[in-house]
């Protein structure tokens, strides 16, 4: 299932639009903070679908029957661009467990690339709700490979994917390979270049958040 959060008017669209803006992109801190804010809003939206229980809460004046999240999700993210979006999710699911995956594009001289995973750090995933964040869902290859790796570690009961911007082709691929996932997107773009960049997209999210890196 794909949920495009820009279909409803909300502040989230302002933040996605700032992420895309070449002028605003000069402010790296604002770029990261906007990704965080999108992570916070996606966390809030996902929380509406999660199981809650009633607990008795002692207030200074009496007992309140309050709703409380009945289980904590595992927040998984893909290094490095996922970190800011992940931080936003973690600010809301502040008791969540965390998983980190080093999926990156390994570029070849002919311009093609493949996804390399060298490192994964995760809690037990059996029967857990897992929320995987990555700001750019381009070809979808990083996410699909990440899900395959995580599934080798355990069998999550639910998988959510959080992306700031996704593109149509990538969404098709992820939906085909991980049909059980619920995909939450800040916005959806139509095009992708031969080099795997979303158009209009925003450019390279990892570089914009953290600076250039040497090619690998
Ligand atoms: O959907 P895909 O085609 O797999 O592309 C998306 C991936 O590309 C980017 O990572 P990148 O390789 O640029 O690494 P970085 O986070 O270190 O910049 C981005 O953060 C995603 O993980
Ligand atoms: O457009 C894209 C595609 C992949 N990764 C990015 O950072 N941007
Ligand atoms: Mg990058």
């Amino acid at each position: 299932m794909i949920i495009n959060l820009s279909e409803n008017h909300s502040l989230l669209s302002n933040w996605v639009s700032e992420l895309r803006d070449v002028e605003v992109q000069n402010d790296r801190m604002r770029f990261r903070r906007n990704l965080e804010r999108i992570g916070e809003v996606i966390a809030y939206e996902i929380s509406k679908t999660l199981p809650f229980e009633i607990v008795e809460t002692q207030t200074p004046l009496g007992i309140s029957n309050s709703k409380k999240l009945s289980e904590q999700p595992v927040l998984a993210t893909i290094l490095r661009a996922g970190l800011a979006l992940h931080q936003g999710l973690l600010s809301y699911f502040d008791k969540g467990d965390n998983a980190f995956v080093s999926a990156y594009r390994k570029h070849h001289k002919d311009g093609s690339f493949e996804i390399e995973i060298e490192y994964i750090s995760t809690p037990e995933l059996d029967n857990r709700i897992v929320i995987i964040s990555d700001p750019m869902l381009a070809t979808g290859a990083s996410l699909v490979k990440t899900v395959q790796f995580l599934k080798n570690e355990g069998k999550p009961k639910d998988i959510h994917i959080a992306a700031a911007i996704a593109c149509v082709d990538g969404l098709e691929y992820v939906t085909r390979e991980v049909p059980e996932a619920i995909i939450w997107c800040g916005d959806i773009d139509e095009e992708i270049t031969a080099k795997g960049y979303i158009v209009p997209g925003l450019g390279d999210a990892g570089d914009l958040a953290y600076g250039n890196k040497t090619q690998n």
Side-chain angles (χ1 to χ4, degrees):
M1 190 199 317
I2 297 166
I3 295 158
N4 181 359
L5 293 166
S6 70
E7 277 173 4
N8 294 319
H9 298 303
S10 84
L11 274 172
L12 181 133
S13 299
N14 279 40
W15 306 332
V16 174
S17 151
E18 284 197 0
L19 286 179
R20 295 179 186 276
D21 187 319
V22 287
E23 299 294 332
V24 184
Q25 286 179 351
N26 289 321
D27 184 350
R28 215 178 264 176
M29 187 168 73
R30 192 167 188 87
F31 188 84
R32 291 193 301 269
R33 181 63 193 124
N34 278 329
L35 283 174
E36 271 183 46
R37 296 202 279 189
I38 291 166
E40 289 165 6
V41 166
I42 293 180
Y44 179 70
E45 292 298 323
I46 291 176
S47 76
K48 296 178 189 173
T49 72
L50 300 184
F52 278 73
E53 63 194 4
I54 305 290
V55 292
E56 289 192 346
T57 303
Q58 178 73 58
T59 81
L61 299 175
I63 303 275
S64 158
N65 288 321
S66 315
K67 286 185 195 166
K68 188 181 157 217
L69 196 61
S70 52
E71 60 182 288
Q72 295 299 328
V74 177
L75 308 178
T77 198
I78 305 179
L79 302 173
R80 106 204 114 131
L83 287 173
L85 194 61
H86 175 87
Q87 185 54 45
L89 284 150
L90 185 56
S91 293
Y92 277 31
F93 291 114
D94 52 287
K95 297 187 176 71
D97 291 320
N98 295 270
F100 297 93
V101 179
S102 75
Y104 66 96
R105 289 176 167 189
K106 184 166 183 169
H107 294 272
H108 300 299
K109 288 209 173 81
D110 63 2
S112 65
F113 63 84
E114 60 192 303
I115 308 300
E116 285 276 316
I117 295 190
E118 283 175 355
Y119 170 82
I120 182 163
S121 159
T122 179
E124 281 284 329
L125 295 175
D126 276 341
N127 212 28
R128 300 291 303 269
I129 298 164
V130 177
I131 304 173
I132 308 169
S133 53
D134 190 348
M136 305 303 280
L137 195 169
T139 63
S142 304
L143 272 165
V144 167
K145 203 145 192 186
T146 296
V147 171
Q148 286 164 351
F149 261 72
L150 291 175
K151 279 184 170 171
N152 276 341
E153 303 287 323
K155 197 175 172 343
K157 71 171 171 188
D158 290 314
I159 297 177
H160 296 264
I161 290 171
I165 299 177
C167 83
V168 172
D169 288 357
L171 282 170
E172 221 174 88
Y173 179 58
V174 176
T175 312
R176 194 168 59 239
E177 298 297 319
V178 196
E180 72 275 29
I182 304 179
I183 309 174
W184 304 79
C185 314
D187 206 354
I188 298 177
D189 288 359
E190 296 294 327
E191 274 183 58
I192 186 161
T193 67
K195 289 194 166 169
Y197 279 88
I198 300 176
V199 181
L202 52 74
D204 190 304
D207 287 1
L208 289 163
Y210 300 110
N212 292 343
K213 62 179 181 184
T214 56
Q215 282 302 335
N216 35 50

